[in-house]
Amino acid sequence: MAQQAAALQACCHYPAAGFVTVVPAVLIGLIGGVLCFAAVAIVKANSYDDALDAFGVHGVGGTWGALATGLWATKTANSAGADGLFTATRTSCMYRQ
């Protein structure tokens, strides 16, 4: 169980590391925990062979972490990065499209 928790934290947070501030990082982790738990439960309920829960933890957690980085990334956390959807201004590329 401890190994799964560590893998979950790594999968959800590594894509966002250095690009989000503290509050979005906590939200990414909390939402990621719920999503990964649900994915593992669905895989188990359908009797798919995933002994290490790789899809539920790494697949779902990594995908959520990558998408969440695009939502909450901010230049205040990393000036070399870009602002995400929730932190972008109206003049950013996201709003112009």
Side-chain angles (χ1 to χ4, degrees):
M1 187 67 153
Q3 289 177 343
Q4 284 182 330
L8 167 65
Q9 181 182 13
C11 286
C12 293
H13 287 108
Y14 282 169
F19 293 99
V20 298
T21 55
V22 175
V23 173
V26 171
L27 291 173
I28 291 169
L30 290 173
I31 295 169
V34 171
L35 291 175
C36 291
F37 180 81
V40 169
I42 290 169
V43 167
K44 297 283 185 203
N46 290 314
S47 300
Y48 292 127
D49 184 22
D50 190 7
L52 299 176
D53 297 330
F55 173 76
V57 175
H58 296 281
V60 173
T63 301
W64 165 245
L67 292 173
T69 303
L71 297 175
W72 281 297
T74 179
K75 287 184 181 177
T76 59
N78 186 346
S79 61
D83 286 333
L85 180 64
F86 296 152
T87 57
T89 62
R90 296 241 179 241
T91 60
S92 72
C93 182
M94 183 66 83
Y95 285 102
R96 281 185 272 158
Q97 293 177 3

